[in-house]
Amino acid sequence: MNISAREIQKTYGKTTVLNQVSITCQAGEVVGLLGLNGAGKSTLFKILMGLVSPDHGEVVTSNPHKKQLGGIIEKPALYEYLNARDNLRIFAEIQGAASDSEALNAGLRRVGLDVHREDKVGNYSMGMKQRLAIAIALLNDPPFLVLDEPFSGLDPMGVIRLRNLILELAKEKGIGVLVSSHLVDEMIRTCDRIYVINRGEIIREDSPRVLVDQATRSYVLTGESLDQSEVLKGSGAHFQGNSARITDPHPNIGALLKELGAEGTTLYSCVPETDIKMLLHAGND
Amino acid sequence: MQGMTNAIIRAEWFKLFRQSRTWYALGALLLLQVVLLLNAWYQGGSILDMLLDNLKQSFHFQGELLNGHLLVYIVLNTMWFHLPLILMIVVSGMLTTEAETGTLRTVMMTGISKRRYIASKFRVAISFTALTVVLVALTSGSLSYLFFGTGDLFVFHGALNFFESPDAFFRLGMAFIAGIFSMVFFSVSSLLLAVIFRETVKTWIVAAFFLIVSNLLLQMQIGQGWTRKLFFANLNDTWQLFFEYHINWAEIGVSLLILTIYIAAIVVAGIWWFDKKDIA
């Protein structure tokens, strides 16, 4: 089962927002759409969700379902004056999904929300709103989920929880998830496959591993007494406290880590620092 | 399909009465009536005495002239501006708030029909408007008759007309029923404006402007013969026809029928426009 957008074209006035954009997502796959703000991500997702009509092109699904797609566009939009249960109940009723107490509890638990919480959604954190919006998107069990900038506004713990939820939905429930973001790191950690969109055009489609190679500006290592390491001193690293930043744009990080191991240096982590602009430039080259 | 429409309508009622704005609006209407009654309590008697001093010497009036009927008639006159304005604010907010907060987008992503959704909003708007007018009639009647009792009603409509108490009660009731049509006309107009503009403040400004212009056009009585009868602005005071000495049922019936056609046309235009436009 898959969902595809084929040769989507959308123009507002004289501005071409999407130009011959084609993407596809399989069931159980997490597909990313990576691009700067204004690149056309939200417009493409709105077209996928049927909110906006394309000037040209089509959205095709291989196996029609009662509700093909669930999603969140731009931000989780909820009735802030209602509690989570009433929000879920209203959205369930209007689309003919089960809205009895048992079904609502199951929906809330599915996304890790407290079923006993009765206060207004307006009091919720952004992460909890995201989870409730996902619970609403999952009503009627759509085979695909569209999440537009889901990591925006979340604290680090919220990002981790949301990422785990997305991976659980894809890998355990077999839901195909389309995620858009301008955060390269999060996309690399979350997605199986990533499209890069720039100025309304898909400029590349790669695996996260390839994008890590091409978008990494530096690596940050944390460990013990890194400033004493002869290997790191030789690599031109900049030291600060327990961390060292290697700014060589194309370090052979695997070999470097092996050398540090052989030297006996204790490492806690090695985190790539990515820059989306490097992908955009690479795509244009 | 009907079950889904009913579910949407239930959800609309639920949302409407869970928003503080709705209760503020209904509270404002009640407060307005209290203010009118207090004003009548303190000043009404002396003003009436001054106005009717000469007439009282020539005619016999049953009961106090400052009575519940007169006060209900004064409340009825809020249908010129106050009542439609408040109704337009609440009804247009049913859509503009959802458009601004993004919940409209969330609703449309559930896969429900755009036509069914907006048609349900129009149905709830019409029902809410009718209920509000009935509520105003009941509260104004209760308060006015409780504190001021009954008696003959005198009103100036082309000429000074006097109605005995039972007749006055009947005419006031019928005027409220006819007034429902005018209020529904303004309510559905505001929802159409909300469909077009999607922004709360912009919609309120245009709706208030529309109401003011409608009242001005009504004063001008534009048109001749049938064109005059067909012009929407001239239909909005149909409820006043119940205060002419002889009730012209045929004229009232035709006016309300034409107003109903206007209402239906506005609803159809609103559904068509909403269905045509993208959800931003």
Side-chain angles (χ1 to χ4, degrees):
Chain A
M1 189 188 291
N2 67 63
I3 187 164
S4 304
R6 293 181 187 160
E7 298 178 352
I8 300 290
Q9 188 91 18
K10 184 67 184 177
T11 304
Y12 289 115
K14 291 179 180 175
T15 308
T16 299
V17 181
L18 295 171
N19 186 20
Q20 297 292 310
V21 170
S22 298
I23 64 169
T24 187
C25 178
Q26 306 288 331
E29 188 183 27
V30 183
V31 173
L33 185 63
L34 184 63
L36 294 169
N37 292 334
K41 305 186 295 291
S42 294
T43 305
L44 178 59
F45 278 7
K46 283 177 185 171
I47 289 172
L48 281 169
M49 294 298 310
L51 298 174
V52 171
S53 307
D55 298 333
H56 178 264
E58 57 182 354
V59 177
V60 181
T61 51
S62 64
N63 192 6
H65 188 269
K66 183 182 178 186
K67 180 181 169 187
Q68 205 63 45
L69 276 167
I72 306 173
I73 302 289
E74 290 176 3
K75 62 176 183 174
L78 306 159
Y79 297 112
E80 303 250 329
Y81 51 89
L82 299 178
N83 63 29
R85 181 180 294 276
D86 284 339
N87 264 283
L88 196 56
R89 186 172 56 75
I90 278 189
F91 284 107
E93 284 178 355
I94 63 175
Q95 59 185 296
S99 59
D100 56 281
S101 184
E102 200 175 316
L104 297 181
N105 284 347
L108 292 170
R109 285 199 191 99
R110 189 179 194 180
V111 294
L113 286 175
D114 182 359
V115 296
H116 300 296
R117 194 161 167 173
E118 293 294 330
D119 58 328
K120 293 175 184 174
V121 164
N123 298 334
Y124 280 27
S125 68
M126 180 57 82
M128 292 170 74
K129 287 180 185 174
Q130 286 281 17
R131 286 169 166 269
L132 179 56
I134 290 175
I136 289 165
L138 290 172
L139 288 166
N140 265 339
D141 299 317
F144 295 97
L145 198 57
V146 166
L147 302 176
D148 184 23
E149 298 280 1
F151 304 111
S152 294
L154 297 186
D155 59 31
M157 279 308 294
V159 169
I160 292 168
R161 284 185 188 139
L162 182 60
R163 187 168 60 234
N164 291 341
L165 177 61
I166 291 170
L167 294 173
E168 181 191 319
L169 291 172
K171 304 309 168 193
E172 293 178 21
K173 313 286 183 192
I175 295 173
V177 186
L178 282 149
V179 187
S180 79
S181 181
H182 60 277
L183 304 172
V184 185
D185 295 349
E186 292 311 326
M187 295 295 264
I188 286 168
R189 287 178 189 139
T190 311
C191 302
D192 300 314
R193 196 158 51 83
I194 298 173
Y195 292 95
V196 179
I197 186 169
N198 189 34
R199 294 177 183 169
E201 292 185 26
I202 300 289
I203 57 171
R204 60 190 303 155
E205 177 198 347
D206 278 310
S207 67
R209 188 189 60 76
V210 174
L211 293 187
V212 169
D213 284 347
Q214 298 202 353
T216 301
R217 189 177 286 280
S218 58
Y219 287 92
V220 176
L221 307 179
T222 54
E224 285 181 12
S225 307
L226 296 183
D227 53 352
Q228 304 299 313
S229 166
E230 294 301 324
V231 174
L232 287 177
K233 282 178 185 170
S235 69
H238 300 281
F239 299 98
Q240 186 176 11
N242 288 333
S243 67
R245 173 175 276 106
I246 302 165
T247 53
D248 180 349
H250 298 290
N252 186 343
I253 194 71
L256 187 71
L257 293 175
K258 276 183 187 171
E259 286 178 37
L260 286 169
E263 186 186 53
T265 301
T266 304
L267 284 179
Y268 303 138
S269 67
C270 171
V271 180
E273 288 190 328
T274 52
D275 184 346
I276 190 171
K277 287 177 183 165
M278 293 178 72
L279 292 177
L280 304 183
H281 294 148
N284 290 337
D285 287 344
Chain B
M1 287 298 133
Q2 186 56 43
M4 202 165 279
T5 302
N6 290 340
I8 298 169
I9 289 172
R10 274 200 306 277
E12 287 302 317
W13 279 114
F14 181 73
K15 288 184 286 182
L16 189 61
F17 283 103
R18 289 299 292 269
Q19 291 180 82
S20 55
R21 180 179 50 217
T22 307
W23 294 105
Y24 277 109
L26 295 176
L29 288 174
L30 186 62
L31 195 61
L32 186 64
Q33 292 171 47
V34 172
V35 170
L36 288 171
L37 293 183
L38 284 174
N39 190 42
W41 185 281
Y42 285 111
Q43 295 186 1
S46 55
I47 292 172
L48 279 174
D49 286 343
M50 188 177 71
L51 286 172
L52 299 173
D53 198 34
N54 288 337
L55 284 170
K56 275 182 174 175
Q57 291 169 14
S58 310
F59 296 95
H60 171 69
F61 295 109
Q62 191 70 40
E64 287 291 325
L65 283 178
L66 178 62
N67 58 47
H69 290 318
L70 181 61
L71 291 168
V72 172
Y73 180 76
I74 292 170
V75 171
L76 192 62
N77 276 273
T78 60
M79 287 205 282
W80 289 120
F81 190 77
H82 306 79
L83 186 53
L85 182 68
I86 289 174
L87 284 168
M88 288 169 105
I89 288 170
V90 174
V91 168
S92 65
M94 287 169 61
L95 184 67
T96 55
T97 306
E98 293 206 353
E100 286 181 339
T101 59
T103 46
L104 181 61
R105 202 165 46 224
T106 310
V107 169
M108 287 300 116
M109 288 192 294
T110 61
I112 69 171
S113 149
K114 284 169 88 176
R115 286 184 181 203
R116 182 176 293 131
Y117 188 65
I118 195 66
S120 300
K121 277 197 184 290
F122 271 110
R123 285 169 70 166
V124 171
I126 290 168
S127 306
F128 173 73
T129 303
L131 280 176
T132 304
V133 176
V134 170
L135 182 72
V136 168
L138 290 176
T139 51
S140 65
S142 305
L143 292 170
S144 302
Y145 297 133
L146 181 67
F147 291 106
F148 293 90
T150 57
D152 291 344
L153 170 66
F154 85 95
V155 294
F156 187 83
H157 186 75
L160 199 55
N161 293 325
F162 290 88
F163 307 106
E164 291 182 359
S165 182
D167 189 29
F169 188 79
F170 171 75
R171 286 168 185 264
L172 286 167
M174 294 308 292
F176 270 112
I177 291 170
I180 288 174
F181 287 78
S182 296
M183 297 305 101
V184 167
F185 172 80
F186 284 113
S187 283
V188 295
S189 298
S190 72
L191 195 48
L192 172 63
L193 293 172
V195 167
I196 294 169
F197 294 107
R198 306 271 172 109
E199 285 179 35
T200 303
V201 176
K202 204 184 278 182
T203 302
W204 285 352
I205 291 170
V206 177
F209 177 74
F210 176 69
L211 179 59
I212 292 165
V213 169
S214 294
N215 276 338
L216 289 174
L217 291 172
L218 176 63
Q219 301 301 320
M220 291 160 68
Q221 288 288 312
I222 290 173
Q224 295 289 327
W226 270 104
T227 55
R228 187 166 169 169
K229 286 188 197 306
L230 287 171
F231 189 52
F232 77 91
N234 297 339
L235 301 168
N236 282 320
D237 70 341
T238 303
W239 54 273
Q240 284 274 31
L241 298 178
F242 284 102
F243 301 101
E244 290 183 350
Y245 190 71
H246 293 290
I247 299 174
N248 189 339
W249 289 101
E251 187 182 352
I252 291 170
V254 169
S255 293
L256 294 183
L257 179 66
I258 297 169
L259 203 50
T260 305
I261 292 169
Y262 271 115
I263 291 166
I266 291 166
V267 170
V268 169
I271 293 170
W272 175 80
W273 195 294
F274 186 78
D275 190 44
K276 188 174 76 95
K277 276 178 76 172
D278 287 339
I279 306 292

